[in-house]
């Protein structure tokens, strides 16, 4: 159910919402060129499910940590091959050209390299203590560091774009509308589908949360590379982050 919502419902549903709101309902406040930029931003955001924050959400909902780890890992692997084609196809439909080289480079930098670095770091720091039974306690010491790094990333993202966000607050509010609808629809759909199949809450809850989440760091990187830091597409990513953090 998680994979179904993440890869077949969410990106295509967001493309539809972007077209409805950005290029039709909000046409009186957004010029056509800017609307296409916002549409591209929404599509890029929805084409990649979140990873790091899902662990926090799973913890808050008493989710199964083993299931959470597996679903994040599986979605990361799918992202390696599905993110670029989906974005290119949907942005092409929206008449926005997105070079494959930029998408592939972003996937390598923000997914492949961090995953590899994490595996190597864990092996180096925790592998030696495995036989002595201290592996778990050794790795647990790095938990505050990981949480601190995640929070610092969020603070820096907002800080670097504070002027862009505050000077375009009306656009932020408009962009937040389809994002909020997508979050509630996808999370609700995933949770109800899982519960209808008698899946326990500790699995259905984190499954629903990743089904409604977005890998906004990757989306921000792609948007800035393609359109620049002050572009409508880039603003769309910051709005997405702001909407979910609320």
């Amino acid at each position: 159910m998680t994979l179904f919502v993440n890869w077949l419902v969410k990106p295509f549903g967001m493309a539809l919402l972007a077209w409805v709101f950005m290029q039709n309902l909000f046409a009186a406040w957004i010029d056509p060129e800017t609307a296409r930029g916002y549409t591209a931003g929404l599509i890029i955001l929805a084409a990649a499910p979140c990873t790091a924050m899902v662990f926090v959400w799973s913890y808050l909902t008493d989710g199964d940590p083993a299931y959470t780890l597996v679903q994040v890992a599986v979605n990361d692997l799918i992202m390696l091959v599905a993110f670029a084609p989906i974005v290119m196809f949907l942005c092409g439909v929206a008449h926005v050209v997105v070079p494959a080289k930029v998408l592939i480079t972003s996937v390598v930098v923000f997914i492949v390299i961090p995953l590899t670095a994490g595996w190597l770091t864990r092996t180096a720091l925790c592998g030696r203590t495995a036989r002595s039974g201290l592996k778990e306690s050794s790795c647990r010491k790095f938990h505050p560091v990981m949480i601190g790094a995640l929070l610092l990333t969020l603070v820096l993202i907002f800080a670097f774009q504070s002027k862009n966000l505050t000077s375009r607050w009306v656009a932020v509010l408009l962009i937040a509308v389809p994002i909020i609808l997508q979050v509630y629809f996808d999370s609700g759909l995933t949770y109800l589908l899982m519960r209808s199949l008698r899946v326990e809450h500790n699995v259905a809850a984190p499954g629903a949360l990743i089904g409604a989440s977005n890998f906004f760091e990757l989306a921000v990187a792609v948007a800035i590379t393609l359109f620049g830091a002050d572009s409508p597409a880039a603003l769309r990513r910051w709005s997405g982050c702001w909407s979910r953090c609320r």
Side-chain angles (χ1 to χ4, degrees):
M1 292 301 100
T2 298
L3 296 178
F4 167 72
V5 173
N6 274 346
W7 300 105
L8 294 180
V9 175
K10 185 170 67 174
F12 296 92
M14 180 60 91
L16 177 61
L17 287 173
W19 177 78
V20 170
F21 284 94
M22 297 297 107
Q23 301 187 37
N24 290 277
L25 296 182
F26 296 159
W29 299 280
I30 306 174
D31 63 86
E33 186 63 29
T34 301
R36 283 194 291 270
Y38 290 158
T39 299
L42 287 163
I43 291 171
I44 296 174
L45 182 72
C50 187
T51 52
M53 286 299 295
V54 175
F55 291 103
V56 178
W57 297 332
S58 179
Y59 173 78
L60 293 175
T61 58
D62 294 325
D64 185 330
Y67 167 76
T68 304
L69 177 62
V70 170
Q71 72 166 0
V72 168
V74 171
N75 276 281
D76 270 343
L77 293 175
I78 294 176
M79 218 183 310
L80 296 177
V81 297
F83 175 74
I86 289 176
V87 170
M88 291 180 63
F89 171 74
L90 291 177
C91 285
V93 173
H95 305 291
V96 179
V97 178
V98 180
K101 183 178 180 180
V102 173
L103 296 173
I104 294 173
T105 301
S106 299
V107 169
V108 172
V109 171
F110 284 89
I111 302 177
V112 176
I113 292 179
L115 282 175
T116 304
W119 175 73
L120 292 175
T121 303
R122 181 180 177 86
T123 301
L125 296 177
C126 304
R128 297 177 181 178
T129 61
R131 294 184 179 180
S132 62
L134 299 177
K135 181 176 182 178
E136 183 177 350
S137 61
S138 176
C139 291
R140 191 181 297 119
K141 295 178 181 179
F142 293 93
H143 186 262
V145 178
M146 293 184 291
I147 297 298
L150 180 60
L151 294 176
L152 179 61
T153 300
L154 293 174
V155 171
L156 291 176
I157 284 177
F158 281 106
F160 288 138
Q161 285 292 314
S162 59
K163 183 178 180 180
N164 196 19
L165 287 169
T166 55
S167 63
R168 301 182 181 180
W169 61 271
V170 174
V172 171
L173 294 177
L174 294 178
I175 293 169
V177 173
I179 298 173
I180 292 174
L181 290 176
Q182 174 246 319
V183 168
Y184 278 101
F185 176 79
D186 290 341
S187 59
L189 175 63
T190 307
Y191 189 81
L192 291 176
L193 286 174
M194 286 191 169
R195 294 297 284 172
S196 69
L197 296 175
R198 302 181 184 276
V199 176
E200 296 294 332
H201 171 80
N202 64 347
V203 170
L209 290 171
I210 195 174
S213 64
N214 301 297
F215 195 162
F216 66 86
E217 299 93 340
L218 176 62
V220 166
V222 174
I224 291 178
T225 302
L226 290 174
F227 307 107
D230 297 325
S231 68
L235 179 63
R236 210 317 301 122
R237 275 48 159 221
W238 307 118
S239 305
C241 179
W242 172 80
S243 300
R244 289 191 306 283
C245 289
R246 286 187 65 192

